[in-house]
Amino acid sequence: MRKKHLLLALMALLCTTSLFAAKKVAFVYQSGYNVSKYVWDASGYQPSKDPIHIALAATYDVTDFVYAQTDVPDTTTLKTYDLVVLGEAVSGGQKLSNTMAKLVGKVPMLNMKAFVYTSGRWGWATPANPATKTTSVTINSGFENHAIFKGLTVTDGVVQIFDGTSTASNLIQGFGSVVSTSPIQTDHILANVTGTTSYAIHEITNLDKKYMLIPISSDVVTTVSENGVKLVVNACEYLMGGASGFDPDADFRIAYLYDSTYTGYVGIKEDPIFNYSILAEKNCEAINIKNFTATSTDTLAALQKYDLVVVSEAISSSHAFAKPLLTIVNKVPMLNFKSFFYKNTVWNWGAGKNPSTVSKNAEHGVSNIVVPKDFLGHELFANIEIPDSTISIFKTDTIYKNLMQAYVPAAGSYIENDTVLATVKGTDGVFNKAIHVHGTTNKYMLLPISSDAMMLNGAVNLSDNAFQLISNAVYYLLKSKSTVLPAVTPTVSMTYKNKLTEVSLSTTTADAKIYYTLDGTVPTTSSLVYSDTLSITDSCMIKAIAVKQGFDNSSVITATVLVKSMAATPSISVAVAETGKAVTITASEGATVYYTTNGGTPVVAKAVKYTVPFTLIRPCTVKAIAVQDGKLNSDIASEKITIDGYKERAKTLVWANFNDSPTVWIDTMTTQNVDLFGAKGYAYT
């Protein structure tokens, strides 16, 4: 039976977003925790600097519960949340951390503090900081396909959680020696600390509400990788009942975009992809974009609430809404039938292509795709017979219309290195790229089936293979649905030189672009793109964001760039004195001089502060710097001091053994300290 279509006006589409309220997450941490640690200032742990907290706040409705270590947390209120996260930033053995044990099994809970497990606290096991500061965990056998590892980069079973830029303090923590009376299920230890026997991640599944430990120290949590953040978000989804396994019968929300005014389009009522494919069996909403504009940003945000966005080929590449669709690629699973979006005036990925020249009584479209041997077993081609690696997509290919289309990726483009799952052999004998997938989460797929000949004389012209292929693609993409994370906020480092400050920007989000401004305005993707160290000659305010396809833009980093001049180099003058040489050091007004006489570089903390001229009786090298408020330390002044008639004496090692208390001193005696010198001993004077 043909599915009744639903034509949504823009306002109606936006109203649907209110039906999907974000889940409520309580985040518990201790006020002022670890004020002495490496990444925190006098305020201690700060969620605004924690990439895990940032990602959770971007994904859920997060409420921070901030307590002193002696406070008793409000467990009654916490139990009303969809999930409670106990941050690592709490002191063990205190009322705050000990009371949290009462929530285990009462509310879904993610704990990041292994040290609450010790005796006298929760009493579950023996926690530890591995001797080697470890940045990763290794998945234990049998848990490779667990929902929390979905979409992560896993190499030989290893999941990197920290990026490794700092190992100054604790990283992955662990535990062992599980107490038999504890609720820990030893057959649910999901991962160990890499290279150790210490347990790391475990879950408790036999409670009313699931519990999990992922012991990530907060000491240098600013260096948690994108992979580590995804792990925690996956765990939260899992604990709240999501991502626990793909259910093909779930009530997925799918958006089907088309333009009713597209030339040659049969209309949504006749569209076989919408009416007869797997989309007809799902909660699929047909959205006519004919009146959408490039400014319909609210619509783009609403589309991200769907489980899958399907883009019909019946949309012109010149449509005003085509270019903005790029912004949601890899933010929501997307099946795109339109390869001509790839041209440089739209997505700028390369170009769309028709593998044949279609003209009356001449060539006609190509109806088949060719699957490379290595991908015949790919799930995209499940339940399809593929004789000679060829799949027929259209029933009739003798008509003079476009059928299968193709694409050409541009050098350096976003999709240049994507794996090609199928090609189209053009009428010129050349194989053209056709089907490809991009991304590991919220995957994007191109399936370039032209809308020109989907229907012929009122009959469906797509083959059974085509419908199976579309069905496989829909499920393949639905399984990749994942939370969209923000790119990691850039960091700013500065190197001061005389009247010049060099500014470097970086982000731990791989391949992200950094956009910046120097006039105090908030950066956008139209701002300057950072490529190399900036040379700043006038003091200014720099602001920067990190941007990556498939990620939300990072928060803005703001830093004041000061350009400083260098204090004038001091001068060293030497005069003959009664017993050697008199040294006088002069500097500009307001400067303080520090000096050394051993040839070493003057450092304020170790060098001698110059106050009055001084006399030297031995040859040496005097080095001095000038230090002045608001300026950089001066260059080093250096002066070699010579002393006329000075004779350097050889150094002599004298050994005295007073333990024997000799009554007669003679020229030489033999030491009896055989521990130091052996049985023979040495003579001394």
Side-chain angles (χ1 to χ4, degrees):
M1 185 174 70
R2 179 171 297 174
K3 176 177 175 177
K4 180 179 179 181
H5 65 279
L6 177 61
L7 303 178
L8 295 182
L10 174 59
M11 187 57 68
L13 171 64
L14 296 177
C15 289
T16 63
T17 62
S18 64
L19 300 176
F20 295 86
K23 292 179 180 178
K24 294 171 56 182
V25 173
F27 190 91
V28 178
Y29 70 96
Q30 179 182 314
S31 175
Y33 181 76
N34 261 357
V35 293
S36 63
K37 283 296 181 182
Y38 301 85
V39 300
W40 314 118
D41 58 21
S43 300
Y45 170 79
Q46 297 159 51
S48 62
K49 296 182 179 181
D50 181 348
I52 292 174
H53 186 280
I54 292 169
L56 295 180
T59 308
Y60 309 112
D61 179 8
V62 173
T63 301
D64 289 337
F65 286 79
V66 190
Y67 296 103
Q69 64 182 20
T70 55
D71 288 344
V72 176
D74 181 2
T75 54
T76 301
T77 299
L78 290 172
K79 281 189 286 189
T80 65
Y81 280 77
D82 296 307
L83 175 72
V84 172
V85 178
L86 175 59
E88 197 275 340
V90 294
S91 299
Q94 301 293 328
K95 286 183 180 178
L96 169 57
S97 57
N98 287 352
T99 304
M100 293 298 293
K102 297 179 180 180
L103 290 173
V104 175
K106 308 297 183 184
V107 61
M109 186 173 181
L110 174 64
N111 174 23
M112 305 180 78
K113 185 79 175 183
F115 276 80
V116 297
Y117 282 8
T118 195
S119 176
R121 298 177 185 177
W122 293 14
W124 288 9
T126 302
N129 282 303
T132 301
K133 293 180 173 63
T134 307
T135 61
S136 63
V137 298
T138 300
I139 302 172
N140 289 325
S141 177
F143 295 104
E144 296 87 351
N145 296 319
H146 195 285
I148 69 168
F149 304 121
K150 178 183 177 182
L152 299 184
T153 298
V154 180
T155 305
D156 296 328
V158 174
V159 178
Q160 288 293 335
I161 294 179
F162 288 85
D163 64 20
T165 57
S166 175
T167 55
S169 191
N170 299 313
L171 300 170
I172 307 299
Q173 299 180 324
F175 68 97
S177 302
V178 176
V179 176
S180 60
T181 56
S182 79
I184 293 176
Q185 297 168 279
T186 54
D187 58 345
H188 279 262
I189 308 294
L190 308 184
N192 279 16
V193 181
T194 299
T196 76
T197 58
S198 291
Y199 303 139
I201 303 174
H202 82 96
E203 64 177 340
I204 303 176
T205 61
N206 56 2
L207 303 170
D208 288 340
K209 305 292 183 181
K210 289 180 180 177
Y211 167 94
M212 183 175 287
L213 170 75
I214 302 181
I216 299 176
S217 172
S218 64
D219 290 359
V220 285
V221 76
T222 54
T223 67
V224 168
S225 67
E226 173 190 324
N227 215 42
V229 171
K230 285 182 180 178
L231 171 68
V232 175
V233 173
N234 283 353
C236 293
E237 281 292 305
Y238 171 73
L239 292 168
M240 289 187 285
S244 58
F246 181 72
D247 179 6
D249 296 321
D251 188 23
F252 299 109
R253 293 184 69 233
I254 301 174
Y256 185 78
L257 309 185
Y258 72 99
D259 178 3
S260 61
T261 63
Y262 184 73
T263 302
Y265 180 52
V266 295
I268 194 65
K269 292 182 179 181
E270 302 295 327
D271 187 331
I273 292 178
F274 180 72
N275 290 285
Y276 302 121
S277 77
I278 189 67
L279 300 182
E281 302 173 17
K282 300 296 180 184
N283 180 14
C284 185
E285 301 169 1
I287 302 173
N288 187 358
I289 69 164
K290 69 174 184 177
N291 296 322
F292 286 12
T293 68
T295 60
S296 299
T297 52
D298 289 342
T299 303
L300 293 170
L303 288 173
Q304 290 185 59
K305 301 295 184 181
Y306 287 83
D307 298 300
L308 175 67
V309 172
V310 180
V311 181
S312 169
E313 198 273 338
I315 300 174
S316 171
S317 59
S318 62
H319 193 291
F321 197 61
K323 190 171 184 177
L325 282 173
L326 172 61
T327 62
I328 63 171
V329 169
N330 291 137
K331 288 187 176 182
V332 60
M334 181 182 289
L335 177 60
N336 176 27
F337 290 95
K338 187 77 175 184
S339 65
F340 282 84
F341 286 168
Y342 287 11
K343 61 186 182 181
N344 59 6
T345 56
V346 190
W347 291 6
N348 196 26
W349 286 1
K353 184 176 181 180
N354 284 305
S356 62
T357 301
V358 177
S359 60
K360 189 174 182 180
N361 299 321
E363 294 179 1
H364 48 77
V366 178
S367 65
N368 300 326
I369 60 173
V370 180
V371 181
K373 181 175 63 176
D374 291 344
F375 298 109
L376 290 173
H378 194 282
E379 62 184 287
L380 181 64
F381 308 115
N383 301 314
I384 299 176
E385 293 186 5
I386 313 179
D388 299 323
S389 296
T390 300
I391 302 175
S392 177
I393 302 299
F394 289 85
K395 295 177 180 179
T396 301
D397 63 358
T398 58
I399 53 171
Y400 305 111
K401 290 187 177 183
N402 294 312
L403 301 174
M404 286 305 303
Q405 298 182 317
Y407 74 98
V408 178
S413 70
Y414 186 55
I415 62 169
E416 178 186 17
N417 299 315
D418 284 357
T419 300
V420 178
L421 300 179
T423 61
V424 177
K425 186 178 181 180
T427 53
D428 56 3
V430 175
F431 283 88
N432 305 274
K433 293 178 171 64
I435 302 175
H436 73 100
V437 178
H438 191 90
T440 55
T441 59
N442 296 316
K443 292 180 179 179
Y444 166 90
M445 179 183 288
L446 174 71
L447 183 55
I449 299 176
S450 171
S451 62
D452 290 359
M454 293 188 300
M455 297 288 290
L456 288 180
N457 301 319
V460 175
N461 192 36
L462 292 177
S463 68
D464 291 342
N465 286 335
F467 287 116
Q468 183 65 57
L469 186 66
I470 293 168
S471 177
N472 291 346
V474 166
Y475 284 123
Y476 176 77
L477 294 168
L478 283 171
K479 286 190 286 187
S480 73
K481 175 70 172 175
S482 184
T483 301
V484 178
L485 301 176
V488 176
T489 305
T491 57
V492 182
S493 60
M494 303 181 200
T495 301
Y496 295 101
K497 296 183 178 180
N498 189 28
K499 299 180 181 179
L500 172 70
T501 301
E502 294 181 340
V503 178
S504 297
L505 303 174
S506 63
T507 175
T508 56
T509 300
D511 301 323
K513 287 184 178 180
I514 296 176
Y515 295 86
Y516 69 95
T517 61
L518 298 175
D519 59 3
T521 59
V522 175
T524 67
T525 52
S526 298
S527 302
L528 297 169
V529 180
Y530 176 80
S531 60
D532 202 356
T533 303
L534 306 174
S535 295
I536 307 297
T537 55
D538 293 305
S539 295
C540 64
M541 179 79 73
I542 189 169
K543 293 188 175 184
I545 57 171
V547 177
K548 183 178 179 180
Q549 183 72 43
F551 287 70
D552 287 335
N553 293 353
S554 75
S555 56
V556 179
I557 184 72
T558 301
T560 300
V561 182
L562 298 177
V563 177
K564 303 177 181 180
S565 60
M566 185 179 287
T569 305
S571 61
I572 302 173
S573 59
V574 182
V576 176
E578 185 176 345
T579 57
K581 296 284 181 71
V583 178
T584 302
I585 307 176
T586 57
S588 59
E589 185 177 354
T592 302
V593 172
Y594 294 86
Y595 71 93
T596 62
T597 58
N598 61 0
T601 299
V603 178
V604 172
K606 299 179 180 179
V608 179
K609 181 179 179 180
Y610 177 82
T611 53
V612 295
F614 54 91
T615 301
L616 296 172
I617 61 174
R618 293 183 176 84
C620 66
T621 298
V622 175
K623 292 185 177 182
I625 59 169
V627 177
Q628 191 168 355
D629 287 344
K631 294 189 174 184
L632 303 175
N633 292 353
S634 73
D635 286 332
I636 298 172
S638 180
E639 186 73 24
K640 187 174 182 180
I641 308 298
T642 60
I643 304 295
D644 296 338
Y646 179 80
K647 293 182 180 180
E648 187 172 358
R649 294 171 175 79
K651 295 179 174 64
T652 304
L653 175 65
V654 177
W655 174 264
N657 179 4
F658 296 101
N659 289 329
D660 292 344
S661 303
T663 56
V664 178
W665 292 88
I666 57 177
D667 289 343
T668 60
M669 296 181 66
T670 301
T671 68
Q672 301 302 311
N673 194 331
V674 296
D675 291 335
L676 288 176
F677 302 113
K680 181 178 179 181
Y682 287 156
Y684 65 84
T685 300

